[in-house]
Amino acid sequence: MNRKFHIIAIPIRIVVNRFGDHDPNGMMYVLKENRSFIKQQVDKNPFTPVDLVEPLVIRANVGDDIEIVFENQLHFNTSMHIQDVEYNVFTSDGAFVGRNPNTTVPPGKSIVYKWKAHVEGAHFFSDLGNTLSSELGSNVHGLFGALFVEPRGSTWTDPI
């Protein structure tokens, strides 16, 4: 089966507890259809955790082809690099390494990543456009998520 997702990297205030502790430089991957609602909820609740402000999880079944339209709304090149899933390193690696083409995305631009799910389990993705390990990096501010690959034929009815 073909699974298609439109995912956007956005800046967002991430509140981590009921005391209002937060990361004003938060970043996260969101489904395009949820972006406006999430931003609205964060604006309405600036010092309260918002349920949808969490790492993005998408789902597929073993054998599925996954197509990600990835859009960057951050101020630096960013990407989606996934672990333990098959893809073409020339088009869908989400990195700029060695002699491979640059598959990171400049601000305001988009790219299409294509993955193939062969192995059941949780497969993590993160940004390789900004790999700094300090506070200047993107992963420390929340830019990561997971693809859950379930047995062939699995279905799910609760999107949450």
Side-chain angles (χ1 to χ4, degrees):
M1 175 178 269
N2 292 321
R3 306 251 180 223
K4 296 184 178 194
F5 301 95
H6 189 149
I7 297 174
I8 305 172
I10 63 169
I12 194 133
R13 177 188 188 92
I14 299 175
V15 179
V16 296
N17 60 32
R18 64 185 175 89
F19 302 109
D21 294 329
H22 66 282
D23 182 350
N25 300 314
M27 305 168 201
M28 64 183 277
Y29 296 114
V30 298
L31 294 175
K32 182 179 182 179
E33 61 264 27
N34 293 340
R35 177 188 54 191
S36 296
F37 178 73
I38 291 170
K39 286 191 167 219
Q40 182 182 62
Q41 291 299 306
V42 169
D43 289 344
K44 282 173 48 179
N45 304 287
F47 294 102
T48 305
V50 172
D51 286 343
L52 286 175
V53 178
E54 60 188 10
L56 178 66
V57 174
I58 55 177
R59 295 176 185 270
N61 291 334
V62 170
D64 285 354
D65 293 310
I66 300 143
E67 182 177 293
I68 308 280
V69 174
F70 175 68
E71 185 180 331
N72 179 12
Q73 291 186 354
L74 298 171
H75 65 280
F76 54 85
N77 279 26
T78 191
S79 68
M80 289 179 70
H81 174 79
I82 192 158
Q83 304 292 323
D84 300 323
V85 170
E86 187 177 302
Y87 57 84
N88 182 331
V89 296
F90 293 116
T91 60
S92 299
D93 190 34
F96 187 26
V97 183
R99 294 185 180 263
N100 294 348
N102 184 355
T103 54
T104 65
V105 181
K109 302 292 183 185
S110 62
I111 194 171
V112 175
Y113 295 129
K114 293 183 179 183
W115 304 335
K116 180 80 172 173
H118 287 298
V119 179
E120 225 177 283
H123 305 281
F124 298 101
F125 53 81
S126 62
D127 173 37
L128 283 187
N130 180 354
T131 58
L132 296 172
S133 59
S134 69
E135 289 292 314
L136 299 175
S138 58
N139 293 309
V140 71
H141 290 288
L143 204 53
F144 53 86
L147 166 67
F148 286 4
V149 179
E150 300 180 30
R152 186 181 299 269
S154 293
T155 60
W156 46 93
T157 57
D158 184 349
I160 295 172

